[in-house]
Amino acid sequence: LNALINPHTFVSYFLYKQTMINEFEIKDTVNGQSYITCAYSGENKVFSDPFDWTTVGYSREHTYAHSWMATWPADNPEQPEYTDQHNLYPTNLAEANSPRSNLPFGVIDGTVVQQYLEGKKGYMGNQLVYEPRDQQKGNVARAIFYMTVAYNFPLTGDADADKQMESILREWHFNDLPDDYEIARHEYVYSIQGNRNPFIDSVDFACFVNFDNDVYEPLGCLASLEEKVQDNMVLFPVPSNDIVYIQINGQEITSYEVIDMSGRVVLNEQNLNAGTIELDANLLESGQYIVKVNTAFGSAQKKMIVQ
C-alpha cells in the first residue's frame, strides 16, 4: 500500500486555498454568496466572495495531527506529510480546529467540555477526546489510515498519537463507508497529487493493517469478526427445563450443534437462516452441554444447562 501511495506530486500547503477550497469545497448559495462546510461540526458558513481564511474564520485541519508526525516541530510547513491534501479538511478555527488541537478521536461517554453544532470535545472514560459529526467519522479514520501507511507513522510512534484507539477508527471506517462527497473529494486530490487513498478505493484493505505498529496483519478481519460473533451470542434462560432461545444479535444463524460433555453431537440442524433458534430442552437429559452456532461471519459457542 505504501508503494501504491508513493511517490506522489507535492502540492504546497499554501496552495490549499487555490486547490481544495476554491476548486472543490466552496459551493454557491443565494444572493451571490458562497458557503463552506466545517468537516467536524457540519456548519455551513456563508460568506461573500472571495474566500479569505481570516474573514471566514476557517483553517486547514490536519486529521492526523501535525504534532503526531515525525517531523514535529517543523521550521516550515513545506513537508510532504504536513501538506498532504488527503489529510487536510476545512474546519472552523475557533469552534472546531482549536478545540480538537491534537486530541485523539473518540466517543464521548462522560462530560462534554466544549460543543459546537455536531462536533464536541469531552471525556471518554478518563481520556479527553474529540468526537466529530457522524458523517466525518469514516473520513477521519481513512485519513489517519492513509497517513500511517503513506509516511510510516505508527499510532504508537508518538506519545499523543498513542492515545488514539485503533479499534474506534476501524469501527468508524466500517460504519461510515465512503459517501459521494468523500469519493468525489478523493478523485479531486488524485487529480492534483497523482495518488490515491487505498482505504477509500477498497475498504477491506483496513482489515490487513495493524495501524498501531504499521505492519501487515495476515489474518485480516477474521479474528475481530469472530470475536464480535462470540460477544453477540445470547443463550437464555440458563439453566432451563423448557425452551432455550439462542440468537446472534444482528446476524442470522446458518447451523448449530448441541454437544454433550463427552464431545458427542446430540442435536444439530443445518441450512438455516434463522434470527432466533428455539431449542426444546425436554429433548435432552439433565446436564451440561455446549451449543455451537455458525454464521456467515464465523462461529460462537456457549454453555447450556438442562435441569
Side-chain angles (χ1 to χ4, degrees):
L1 295 180
N2 179 279
L4 283 176
I5 293 170
N6 296 301
H8 58 269
T9 301
F10 175 86
V11 179
S12 171
Y13 180 75
F14 300 105
L15 289 179
Y16 190 82
K17 174 184 171 183
Q18 179 180 325
T19 55
M20 290 302 300
I21 299 299
N22 290 344
E23 297 183 16
F24 185 80
E25 295 288 359
I26 287 177
K27 303 172 184 66
D28 292 333
T29 185
V30 297
N31 300 323
Q33 293 183 305
S34 301
Y35 75 93
I36 190 168
T37 301
C38 172
Y40 287 163
S41 70
E43 172 193 53
N44 290 322
K45 183 76 171 185
V46 177
F47 62 91
S48 298
D49 294 326
F51 177 88
D52 177 78
W53 292 110
T54 303
T55 302
V56 177
Y58 267 51
S59 62
R60 292 150 284 195
E61 161 69 350
H62 291 88
T63 310
Y64 188 102
H66 177 213
S67 66
W68 299 358
M69 300 177 186
T71 50
W72 169 266
D75 294 329
N76 66 72
E78 294 296 84
Q79 305 281 347
E81 59 268 34
Y82 189 97
T83 188
D84 196 310
Q85 304 205 10
H86 283 293
N87 187 47
L88 294 170
Y89 279 90
T91 54
N92 184 306
L93 176 60
E95 302 290 354
N97 185 294
S98 294
R100 188 268 162 137
S101 185
N102 68 345
L103 291 175
F105 295 97
V107 178
I108 296 171
D109 55 14
T111 302
V112 175
V113 175
Q114 183 270 353
Q115 180 165 0
Y116 182 66
L117 300 178
E118 299 176 67
K120 54 189 175 181
K121 176 172 71 173
Y123 285 90
M124 180 178 67
N126 295 322
Q127 184 180 21
L128 189 61
V129 298
Y130 188 85
E131 182 174 357
R133 60 180 176 141
D134 290 342
Q135 295 94 318
Q136 188 67 13
K137 287 179 176 177
N139 309 46
V140 161
R142 286 179 283 277
I144 292 177
F145 292 167
Y146 167 88
M147 293 295 290
T148 298
V149 171
Y151 299 102
N152 302 121
F153 289 158
L155 291 179
T156 54
D158 175 85
D160 290 314
D162 191 31
K163 299 173 185 176
Q164 176 61 62
M165 291 181 62
E166 178 189 20
S167 59
I168 286 178
L169 297 180
R170 202 181 298 277
E171 182 177 344
W172 286 1
H173 170 65
F174 286 111
N175 287 345
D176 176 32
L177 296 173
D179 57 16
D180 290 343
Y181 162 80
E182 187 179 7
I183 292 170
R185 179 184 180 279
H186 181 227
E187 295 296 342
Y188 176 73
V189 175
Y190 172 60
S191 74
I192 58 175
Q193 280 196 180
N195 73 335
R196 307 180 68 81
N197 182 337
F199 303 104
I200 295 175
D201 282 330
S202 180
V203 296
D204 288 340
F205 277 145
C207 288
F208 297 94
V209 182
N210 179 323
F211 297 100
D212 279 337
N213 300 307
D214 189 28
V215 295
Y216 174 57
E217 179 55 70
L219 292 179
C221 288
L222 180 61
S224 60
L225 284 174
E226 288 201 337
E227 288 173 2
K228 289 181 180 179
V229 171
Q230 181 65 50
D231 290 343
N232 283 283
M233 181 177 178
V234 178
L235 185 153
F236 66 95
V238 179
S240 176
N241 57 8
D242 196 2
I243 301 298
V244 177
Y245 298 91
I246 306 161
Q247 64 186 42
I248 305 286
N249 294 330
Q251 297 295 330
E252 290 190 338
I253 296 172
T254 57
S255 65
Y256 73 88
E257 294 178 333
V258 179
I259 305 166
D260 67 15
M261 291 298 100
S262 66
R264 184 169 59 98
V265 177
V266 294
L267 286 176
N268 72 88
E269 194 168 356
Q270 307 293 321
N271 302 318
L272 298 174
N273 284 293
T276 302
I277 294 172
E278 296 183 13
L279 187 64
D280 188 355
N282 293 307
L283 299 175
L284 301 168
E285 297 179 357
S286 298
Q288 297 185 21
Y289 299 85
I290 297 296
V291 178
K292 181 180 179 180
V293 299
N294 296 301
T295 77
F297 298 98
S299 61
Q301 61 184 39
K302 281 190 180 294
K303 182 183 291 186
M304 178 177 69
I305 302 174
V306 177
Q307 290 181 328

